[in-house]
Each structure stands twice: as structure tokens, then as C-alpha cells.
Amino acid sequence: MTIKRHIPNIITLLNLFCGCIALVFAVEMNFEMAFYFVCLGIFFDFFDGFFARLLNVSSPLGLQLDSLADMVTSGFVPGFVMFLMLSNSVSTNPSFAYFPYLGFIISLGSCYRLANFNIDTRQTDSFIGLPTPANALFILSLPLIIKYSDSLMALELLTNNWVLLVITLLSAYILNAEIPLFALKIKKFNFKDNALQIVFLLISLVLLVLFQFSGVALVIVFYVFLSVIMNLITGKKA
């Protein structure tokens, strides 16, 4: 019984471990490996809750541990990556020496969301505001778009310090905005009850295949856009 009780917590700690490794790669400016380890951390983040429910060992400790692990993998890492991107964008301008620290606004917004999520009883079947893992994937995809995209416009935008600041502020806002976002959990195995999730996943797969790392950012934007459209259709409010 004791070992079974700790299985979800061990998985959560693996999420934290991946976040620590991602941070090391980010320091080394290896954004691709940082992205992959954040993805792996998010994978563990999904399955810790799954196994907690499966084994019927959910606990207040697990809830707090999950948020602490997410704060590193999906909170501090994306804030640090934005700090590095801003540093690169103003490297030739000494008067902007402290400007890159504004990238950590993402980490502050993530921290507030994670703390609020633990006490918000409205987010059991859906989300209000963008989940931190989705936001982390969006931010971590940006330096990879710069590296691999052939679009000169994308390169110019994502190396502009003011554009990056706007993205930072929007990121912190959307994390905590009172916008209901549909959950991807499939509870009943039929198309009727999961039509929205299935359509979203299929379109997301197409975007990822066609646009690779740019597709990651497009999927997150599409997720928010589709949720807002569905809210308008159904009249759903936070």
C-alpha cells in the first residue's frame, strides 16, 4: 500500500527532474533539447494525476507537489527562455541592460495561476485561463521557430524586443484570464460527446505535420481561439 501511494508522487518528481534538465539546456542555449525535456515533463505531469485516480491514492500532498513541479517545468523555464530571447534582442543596446528581466513576468503569471488553480473549484472539468503546460510549449517553441523557420517576417518579429515584450504580457494575461477553455480529457468513448476534442486533435496533428515547431505555437493559439468561439456559441462564461 505504501509503495502504491507514492507512485503518482514519483511521477510528479520526474516532471520536476525534466524541468531541471530543461533549464540546464536552456542555459547552454540548446533550446531544442530544452523543448523536448519540457515536453517529457508535461507527459509526466499528465500521468501523475491519471495514476493517482487509477490507484485511488489522490492526496493533498500530491496536489501541492504537482504545482511545485509545474512551477519549474512550466513556469520558471519558459520565463527564463523569454529572458534569454530578450537578452539576444537587446544585446547591442546597453541602455536596455535590465529589459530582459521582464521575461520573468511569465514565471510570475504562471505562479499566480498555479496557486489559484489549487483553490478554484470551477476548474474540475475544464480550464479557466490557459494551463501552464500549454503556455510553456508556446514559449519554448519561439526560439525554435527562429532557428528553423524560413519566414523572414517570423524572424524579424521574434527578434524584436517590443514584440517579445507584448508576447510576455499576453502570456501572463492569458494564463489568468477569466476565459473558459475546454479540457482534452475523453471520458466517454463516443464521437458525439468528444466531437470538439477529436476535431481539435486532428487539426492540431495537421498543423504539427505541416509547420513543425511553428505548428506548436499555432496549436496553442488555435486552442484558445476555438474555446472562445465555442463559448460564444454556447454562451458559456467563467
Side-chain angles (χ1 to χ4, degrees), residues 98-111:
Y98 298 102
F99 192 84
Y101 291 100
L102 294 175
F104 288 112
I105 290 175
I106 293 173
S107 299
L108 301 182
S110 298
C111 183

Side-chain angles (χ1 to χ4, degrees), residues 67-119:
S67 291
L68 290 171
D70 280 348
M71 184 55 216
V72 175
T73 305
S74 299
F76 183 72
V77 173
F80 183 68
V81 167
M82 182 56 74
F83 165 82
L84 294 175
M85 292 182 69
L86 285 167
S87 296
N88 289 335
S89 71
V90 299
S91 58
T92 58
N93 192 337
S95 61
F96 279 79
Y98 298 102
F99 192 84
Y101 291 100
L102 294 175
F104 288 112
I105 290 175
I106 293 173
S107 299
L108 301 182
S110 298
C111 183
Y112 188 88
R113 176 187 167 73
L114 288 166
N116 188 48
F117 181 82
N118 287 348
I119 60 173

Side-chain angles (χ1 to χ4, degrees), residues 3 12 29 42 62 99 117 130 133 150 154 156 162 178 229:
I3 295 176
T12 301
M29 305 295 284
I42 291 171
F99 192 84
F117 181 82
L130 186 67
D150 296 326
E156 290 179 4
W162 297 112
E178 290 287 305
I229 294 299

Side-chain angles (χ1 to χ4, degrees), residues 2-152:
T2 303
I3 295 176
K4 184 176 79 170
R5 186 175 45 135
H6 288 295
I7 288 176
N9 292 340
I10 292 172
I11 296 174
T12 301
L13 290 175
L14 288 174
N15 170 19
L16 175 58
F17 185 54
C18 289
C20 293
I21 296 174
L23 182 60
V24 173
F25 277 117
V27 170
E28 297 174 348
M29 305 295 284
N30 189 338
F31 295 118
E32 193 165 351
M33 289 303 298
F35 175 84
Y36 289 138
F37 271 97
V38 165
C39 288
L40 185 58
I42 291 171
F43 172 82
F44 287 126
D45 181 43
F46 175 82
F47 277 102
D48 61 0
F50 173 81
F51 277 101
R53 292 186 294 271
L54 180 67
L55 300 174
N56 195 27
V57 290
S58 298
S59 67
L61 172 63
L63 178 65
Q64 300 305 319
L65 197 60
D66 184 73
S67 291
L68 290 171
D70 280 348
M71 184 55 216
V72 175
T73 305
S74 299
F76 183 72
V77 173
F80 183 68
V81 167
M82 182 56 74
F83 165 82
L84 294 175
M85 292 182 69
L86 285 167
S87 296
N88 289 335
S89 71
V90 299
S91 58
T92 58
N93 192 337
S95 61
F96 279 79
Y98 298 102
F99 192 84
Y101 291 100
L102 294 175
F104 288 112
I105 290 175
I106 293 173
S107 299
L108 301 182
S110 298
C111 183
Y112 188 88
R113 176 187 167 73
L114 288 166
N116 188 48
F117 181 82
N118 287 348
I119 60 173
D120 192 341
T121 58
R122 300 172 298 168
Q123 301 191 58
T124 54
D125 297 320
S126 60
F127 300 109
I128 298 176
L130 186 67
T132 53
N135 185 65
L137 289 176
F138 178 84
I139 299 299
L140 268 291
S141 71
L142 299 182
L144 299 177
I145 294 173
I146 294 174
K147 182 177 180 180
Y148 291 106
S149 177
D150 296 326
S151 172
L152 291 177

